[in-house]
Amino acid sequence: MANENWPLWEVFIRSRQGLNHKHVGSLRAADQEMAIENARDVYTRRSEGVSIWVVLSANVHASNPSDKGPMFDPAEDKVYRHPTFYDIPDEIGHM
Amino acid sequence: MTKAEEEFQAKIDRDIKIEPKDWMPDAYRKTLVRQISQHAHSEIVGMLPEGNWITRAPSLRRKVALLAKVQDEAGHGLYLYSAVETLGTDREQTIDDMHSGKAKYSSIFNYPTLSWADMGAVGWLVDGAAIVNQVALQRTSYGPYSRAMVKICKEESFHQRQGYELLIHMCNGTKEQKEMAQDALNRFWWPSLMMFGPSDTDSPNTAQSMAWRVKRYTNDDLRQQFVDITVPQAEFLGLTIPDPDLKMNEETGHYEFGEINWEEFFNVVNGNGPCNRERIAARSNAKKNGSWVIDAANAYAEKQRMKKKVA
């Protein structure tokens, strides 16, 4: 018996109009049409979505976990990118 | 410990989740593959004892509930197979490992469902026990497993409620109906307690699994939790738990219960329960008889790709 896997797809769901699509999981399907149909049955059985994206997992390129330091640490000491870094007198109110 | 192992354990100790591409010790990966695949297989085999009753549900209300529950179980199996795959295993191989007996599934599904009251007992007790276990596993250290558990717990609450509701009706029905409910409890009580696995003194993997935070509570802790929750629910139904040693310990606030028949437990785990052969045969026949669908879908997808190329 052939033990051939269908390709793996990543599933993204928009839960409500106005929100972004969010990754919810993955599944296997022969083609994109079947991937969307299966995603509907697997991930939206309780009205969790109004729109589905499926992307071949092979087409997802990810950053390397071991590069986490050089990739993301530089943002940590840049407090001047945040509003609370700047002093505004109380009498000015909300800014 | 190597430096990588130390860093790994430090992450675990700070409750930072481990994600698929992060470095992890081989033994951690192996433990996860064993536990998550066993969990996935349990969801899939768990569809069989209930699927058995769908066509004989006594009302439309009961039928839609049972259909929705069994469909959820298929979904839960899929979430979990996806989680296993993130560990670098081959999905079809994982499934074949169950069919060959190399991988296990929960021993509870090797017991038959003989009467309609069993649908109540399965929802109330089997799903009840699974929920106790799964609520704890929401905080497991492996990200994909933890996220699957969160989703499963959200969906599974109705599984237990529909079973308990069904039993309330039977227990308020005729004398025969109440006897059926009692009989179901008699048969499913002890196997439900066994669902939490061997006693802590006899569970060689527990210490390491706790240190890795794959497990957050021991088997015996979870079993006790389940007994404490379930006994009052049985009393409400007016049913008797088949354990003469069961009593509340006023000092600890916990129920004490009788000795579990571990010989039976290991016997069923090792393939000699009432339905082991039937369950495995049903699953491997499903794969064998359904393989043409896989091939046909592949052929269709290929044809569509060719058509696009030409166009």
Side-chain angles (χ1 to χ4, degrees), chain A residues 65-86:
Chain A
S66 60
D67 293 341
K68 197 167 140 255
M71 288 275 279
F72 305 110
D73 286 354
E76 264 172 32
D77 59 1
K78 296 178 178 57
V79 282
Y80 48 87
R81 286 176 176 168
H82 297 275
T84 48
F85 183 70
Y86 302 94

Side-chain angles (χ1 to χ4, degrees), chain B residues 62-292:
Chain B
R62 297 285 173 234
K63 190 169 183 167
V64 290
L66 198 55
L67 267 172
K69 181 176 191 294
V70 171
Q71 192 186 12
D72 273 351
E73 277 147 16
H76 298 172
L78 290 175
Y79 304 156
L80 289 162
Y81 281 128
S82 289
V84 187
E85 268 193 288
T86 64
L87 292 159
T89 56
D90 179 275
R91 180 182 296 223
E92 290 306 317
Q93 186 59 51
T94 303
I95 292 169
D96 289 345
D97 283 347
M98 170 183 48
H99 297 170
S100 72
K102 193 178 150 204
K104 306 284 183 213
Y105 53 88
S106 181
S107 57
I108 190 83
F109 301 117
N110 291 316
Y111 291 87
T113 43
L114 302 174
S115 85
W116 174 251
D118 289 8
M119 293 303 96
V122 167
W124 172 38
L125 300 171
V126 177
D127 286 84
I131 288 168
V132 166
N133 187 31
Q134 290 172 163
V135 165
L137 282 172
Q138 290 181 102
R139 291 169 56 238
T140 189
S141 58
Y142 187 56
Y145 192 26
S146 155
R147 291 191 284 276
M149 283 300 112
V150 171
K151 216 176 321 193
I152 287 174
C153 285
K154 230 186 261 170
E155 298 183 346
E156 201 144 88
S157 163
F158 109 78
H159 294 190
Q160 191 183 20
R161 290 173 65 112
Q162 63 86 34
Y164 194 67
E165 186 200 79
L166 185 166
L167 286 175
I168 293 175
H169 280 250
M170 290 192 82
C171 290
N172 290 324
T174 63
K175 184 169 157 284
E176 286 78 8
Q177 283 173 317
K178 188 157 187 188
E179 279 168 7
M180 279 168 76
Q182 180 65 53
D183 174 61
L185 173 59
N186 291 349
R187 283 180 288 109
F188 276 94
W189 174 253
W190 290 105
S192 298
L193 295 195
M194 293 176 198
M195 281 176 70
F196 296 95
S199 162
D200 296 349
T201 50
D202 205 15
S203 176
N205 303 319
T206 293
Q208 184 59 74
S209 284
M210 295 281 287
W212 280 332
R213 301 198 181 173
V214 170
K215 274 184 165 179
R216 304 301 305 238
Y217 299 94
T218 69
N219 296 351
D220 285 337
D221 282 347
L222 293 169
R223 189 165 14 243
Q224 184 68 53
Q225 227 186 81
F226 174 71
V227 172
D228 289 343
I229 297 171
T230 311
V231 173
Q233 295 169 348
E235 284 166 1
F236 181 85
L237 292 173
L239 297 178
T240 309
I241 288 180
D243 178 0
D245 296 326
L246 184 79
K247 61 170 191 296
M248 171 52 91
N249 181 328
E250 297 294 346
E251 250 168 60
T252 61
H254 294 294
Y255 284 96
E256 289 173 358
F257 50 94
E259 181 67 24
I260 290 171
N261 183 347
W262 292 115
E263 199 187 321
E264 175 182 328
F265 171 77
F266 287 110
N267 207 16
V268 178
V269 166
N270 290 326
N272 302 314
C275 300
N276 294 58
R277 268 169 286 267
E278 189 185 327
R279 302 293 187 231
I280 291 290
R283 288 315 310 156
S284 49
N285 285 339
K287 178 164 177 171
K288 201 161 53 194
N289 299 335
S291 67
W292 68 270

Side-chain angles (χ1 to χ4, degrees), chain A residues 45-86:
Chain A
R45 286 196 303 283
R46 289 177 176 78
S47 320
E48 290 96 336
V50 294
S51 162
I52 297 173
W53 286 354
V54 293
V55 178
L56 268 180
S57 307
N59 288 339
V60 174
H61 303 275
S63 64
N64 192 327
S66 60
D67 293 341
K68 197 167 140 255
M71 288 275 279
F72 305 110
D73 286 354
E76 264 172 32
D77 59 1
K78 296 178 178 57
V79 282
Y80 48 87
R81 286 176 176 168
H82 297 275
T84 48
F85 183 70
Y86 302 94

